[in-house]
Amino acid sequence: MEKNLILLFGCTVLKIVALSLLGYFLINKWKRQSKKYYTDFPFLMSITFFGYALAKIYDLCLYYIFRDTPDLELLTEFDPTLLIIVKIRFVLCPVLVIAPYLVLMMMIWFQDRVRTQKIIGISWIILSLLSIIVVQNYSQILIVNALVAFPIILLSIISFFVLNHQKKLHEINSLVLAIAWSLYVCTQLLRPLWITLGSGTWGLTWVGELVELLTLVMIGIGFIIPANYRKIQETSIMKTAVC
């Protein structure tokens, strides 16, 4: 087994462990709350991280199955079975992984409009699944993947920058989240490049996995640590109370 493939397996396993730990920490944080709702940030993000970890386990299988494949796009175009295997991966992520995050965005933008939340959420899931079902090759899947995930991620970047500017939701660190998601987008834009570099079917994909992991850990931290302006607000309240 070549060096790049071994490194790819190692980085992917590391990513699975890190995502699982982040999901475990957030679900425990949610359980410790006096009042628990399934729309709480820690619960939704724990589902996202666990879902992503499951998708990376599937990736391990794909990396091994296609380790000697010279052209994955041609194989998926002429082999229906192979195309189905790849499609399952893109149903797991981004559709199932992004879905809880979409709920989170709906809670931020349409907090008291439950019907609007349901219409947008269900429509997005149906359109995403239909898009993946009808694609005919690997290139089309990658395009659909971007169309499914990036609008939600872009919305989250805008949302967290706005929340940080307005100093809202002090229980999360909106600035860290906005920066982390921006870096995540950069890693996704560079991801196809790593495959073309290095030897073997997957090239230097392991570098992309490692860099992406750092941004995901940063996202996890953003949901764990409170915003800096929380301390400022608490100090201001204490001073007011003393006066």
Side-chain angles (χ1 to χ4, degrees), residues 54-125:
L54 179 61
K56 298 315 296 181
I57 292 174
Y58 198 91
D59 274 351
L60 275 178
C61 300
L62 295 183
Y63 291 150
Y64 182 78
I65 292 171
F66 303 133
R67 65 191 183 281
D68 298 320
T69 301
D71 195 331
L72 182 59
E73 181 170 342
L74 289 176
L75 284 178
T76 55
E77 189 170 356
F78 296 107
D79 187 338
T81 303
L82 186 60
L83 185 60
I84 291 173
I85 293 174
V86 176
K87 283 183 177 182
I88 292 173
R89 162 62 177 87
F90 286 93
V91 169
L92 286 173
C93 183
V95 177
L96 295 184
V97 172
I98 294 291
Y101 205 78
L102 176 62
V103 174
L104 188 151
M105 288 296 104
M106 293 300 99
M107 291 294 296
I108 291 175
W109 289 98
F110 306 105
Q111 187 172 6
D112 299 321
R113 298 163 65 181
V114 178
R115 185 178 179 183
T116 302
Q117 294 175 18
K118 290 181 179 179
I119 291 174
I120 295 175
I122 293 173
S123 299
W124 178 83
I125 291 174

Side-chain angles (χ1 to χ4, degrees), residues 44-58:
L44 291 173
M45 285 312 301
S46 68
I47 297 301
T48 294
F49 282 128
F50 282 135
Y52 209 157
L54 179 61
K56 298 315 296 181
I57 292 174
Y58 198 91

Side-chain angles (χ1 to χ4, degrees), residues 171-203:
E171 66 270 19
I172 61 175
N173 198 308
S174 301
L175 181 60
V176 170
L177 287 167
I179 294 172
W181 276 115
S182 300
L183 293 174
Y184 179 82
V185 171
C186 294
T187 66
Q188 296 306 296
L189 294 175
L190 291 173
R191 192 173 181 87
L193 175 65
W194 299 117
I195 300 178
T196 63
L197 301 176
S199 59
T201 302
W202 298 104

